[in-house]
Amino acid sequence: MASFLIVDDAKVMRINLRNIIEELGHEVIAEAKNGYEGIETYKEELPDFVTMDITMPSERGIKDGIDAVKGIIDFHPAAKVIMVTSHGEEEKVITAIQSGAVNYLLKPIQVDKLKNIVDDLIEKKEKSSLEE
């Protein structure tokens, strides 16, 4: 079971993601409603994974999900951040991946897509642990 932090300004999206994550057998240990809160909560909770909305309101110099990814990666370079985005934001997704995000999901979230991403990241983590 992996732990998750959900960062999204839309409460309905946080609820949907929580339901999907818990349906997959994982635990949501925290939620944040903007990028600034996301960074601060990450530092406190150190979850295994973060789902990060790409478009959120600015808060304390953190303009969007991309800035939040950079803040989390600066704090913990091995963080596993999965971007959540709408169609038409491909350029932002590329920037987020270049900034340290490990993958992305398109809205509406498909359970099997999230499951595949998480399973793949857990498998990679287990393999690297065995190789050390």
Side-chain angles (χ1 to χ4, degrees):
M1 176 171 64
S3 61
F4 280 78
L5 162 61
I6 298 171
V7 185
D8 201 300
D9 61 314
K11 185 172 185 168
V12 69
M13 195 65 205
R14 292 194 309 269
I15 292 168
N16 288 343
L17 272 166
R18 176 181 285 276
N19 290 339
I20 291 169
I21 290 164
E22 290 175 350
E23 179 183 321
L24 292 173
H26 302 294
E27 179 185 17
V28 176
I29 58 171
E31 295 180 12
K33 64 183 184 298
N34 60 54
Y36 176 79
E37 280 185 16
I39 294 168
E40 295 306 305
T41 304
Y42 183 89
K43 290 175 179 178
E44 293 168 15
E45 301 292 338
L46 296 175
D48 297 316
F49 297 99
V50 179
T51 62
M52 178 74 67
D53 186 17
I54 210 159
T55 306
M56 291 182 287
S58 179
E59 172 78 21
R60 298 187 197 186
I62 304 300
K63 294 183 211 78
D64 56 18
I66 295 168
D67 281 351
V69 168
K70 290 175 183 175
I72 289 171
I73 296 299
D74 283 349
F75 175 76
H76 186 217
K80 304 291 183 245
V81 182
I82 302 164
M83 301 309 292
V84 178
T85 184
S86 301
H87 285 283
E89 295 184 317
E90 290 82 7
E91 198 171 300
K92 288 183 177 181
V93 169
I94 291 167
T95 303
I97 299 291
Q98 291 170 340
S99 299
V102 293
N103 213 320
Y104 70 96
L105 290 164
L106 288 173
K107 295 177 185 177
I109 304 300
Q110 297 177 354
V111 176
D112 59 335
K113 176 76 171 159
L114 179 58
K115 180 183 184 324
N116 290 341
I117 290 170
V118 172
D119 288 351
D120 183 53
L121 291 169
I122 289 172
E123 184 179 312
K124 285 179 182 173
K125 183 179 178 184
E126 288 170 355
K127 277 185 181 176
S128 72
S129 293
L130 290 174
E131 292 170 2
E132 289 177 1

